[in-house]
Amino acid sequence: MTASSRDPATKADRGPLLRRLWFFGRVGLVLLAIEACRVLVHRQHWEVLTPNPLFSALVASEVFLLGFLLNGVLTDYKEGEKLPGELAAALECLALEVQGIRLMQPEAEVQTTLVLLADFSEALLAWMQQAGPTLLLLERLDTLQLAIERLGLWNPAPLQARLLQELAHIRRGVQRIDVIRSTTFVPSVYGVAYIGTGVLTVGLVLSRMEPFAESLFFIGVISLLLIKLLLLITDLDNPFGAGQARSVENVSLHPVAHAVQRLQRVAQAPQPVLEDGALKQGG
C-alpha cells in the first residue's frame, strides 16, 4: 500500500479538475446536439418563429430566475465551506482536552475514549465523502458521548462541560450537513427554470435568423450560458456531493482529513503519565 493511498487527504481529493473537464464535455455534447438541430431545422425550412422584442424579454426573465436560484444556493454553499473546518477544530479540541485529563489525574483511563474519537473522525470523513447513512454516524457519536460522560469521574465539572459543548458542536454540524444534502432550494423554482431553459432553447432553434452562420453563433452562446449556469446551480445546491460521480463543485474536506490523521496518531501514541513528579511516557 502506498503512502498516498493511506492518506485521508488524498482520499478527500476526488479529482476536481477531471470532473470539471467532464462537466464541460457534457455541456459541449448538449451544445453540439442543439447546433445539429439548428442546422436540420434550417435545411428543412422549419423556422416558424420570428424574433421580436418579447423574445429578448424571455431571455432576461430566464436570466433573472437563474440569478435568484444562484443567490439562494450560494448561501448554503458558503455556510458549507465553514463546516469542515469547524468540525475538524472541534474534534482536535476534544482530543487535547481528553489528553489533558491525565496530566491532572494520572490514573484516568482516557485511551479508550481517544480510540473511539479517532474511529468516529474516520467515520465522519467517510460519511462526508460518500454520503452514507446519517443514523449510523449518529449512533457512533452517541457511543463517543457515553465514553466522554464516563470521564466525568476524573474530570472537573467545568472542563467536562467544555467536552460536552464540543460534542454538541459536532452533532450540530452533522445535522446541518444532512439538512443541506437532503434539502433542495425551492424545487418549484427549479422546475420553472428547467422548463424555461428548454422552451427558450427550442425557440432559438426554431427562430428565423439571418445570416445563418451568425444565428449558429448566438444560439450556441446563449444556450451555453443558460445550460451551464443551470447545471452549475443544481450542483452547488449540494456542496457535500463528493461521492456523486457528476458532482463538480464541492467544499474541501481537507481540514477533516488532516484532523483524522492527527487523531489516529494520538490514539496510537503512548499516553503521558506522571511518575515520581516527572512527566513520562506511559505504555
Side-chain angles (χ1 to χ4, degrees), residues 11-138:
K11 295 180 181 179
D13 187 356
R14 306 291 294 183
L17 178 59
L18 293 177
R19 291 189 177 207
R20 291 189 179 98
L21 291 176
W22 171 233
F23 177 74
F24 277 101
R26 285 186 288 130
V27 175
L29 291 175
V30 174
L31 288 178
L32 286 176
I34 292 173
E35 296 287 31
C37 290
R38 172 59 183 168
V39 172
L40 177 63
V41 166
H42 182 72
R43 290 183 176 179
Q44 298 297 326
H45 303 288
W46 292 341
E47 297 159 317
V48 296
L49 300 178
T50 302
N52 58 64
L54 290 178
F55 200 82
S56 300
L58 288 176
V59 175
S61 299
E62 182 67 14
V63 171
F64 173 80
L65 189 60
L66 293 178
F68 170 76
L69 282 173
L70 182 61
N71 182 66
V73 300
L74 279 180
T75 301
D76 279 349
Y77 190 88
K78 296 301 292 183
E79 181 182 357
E81 284 184 321
K82 304 175 184 177
L83 290 174
E86 293 176 353
L87 288 172
L91 289 170
E92 295 197 55
C93 285
L94 272 176
L96 290 173
E97 292 286 351
V98 171
Q99 283 182 294
I101 294 176
R102 294 202 65 181
L103 299 178
M104 299 178 294
Q105 302 288 340
E107 73 281 3
E109 173 53 48
V110 301
Q111 190 64 27
T112 302
T113 303
L114 291 174
V115 172
L116 286 175
L117 181 58
D119 290 342
F120 171 77
S121 66
E122 191 172 357
L124 175 64
L125 178 61
W127 175 77
M128 296 176 75
Q129 289 175 335
Q130 304 297 332
T134 305
L135 182 60
L136 295 180
L137 183 69
L138 291 176

Side-chain angles (χ1 to χ4, degrees), residues 221-261:
V221 171
I222 295 175
S223 299
L224 171 65
L225 295 177
L226 293 180
I227 294 173
K228 187 179 184 305
L229 184 57
L230 183 56
L231 294 178
L232 180 62
I233 290 171
T234 305
D235 186 30
L236 290 175
D237 201 9
N238 179 16
F240 298 97
Q244 301 174 4
R246 294 186 176 182
S247 184
V248 179
E249 301 298 338
N250 299 294
V251 300
S252 174
L253 301 181
H254 287 295
V256 179
H258 294 317
V260 169
Q261 288 181 305

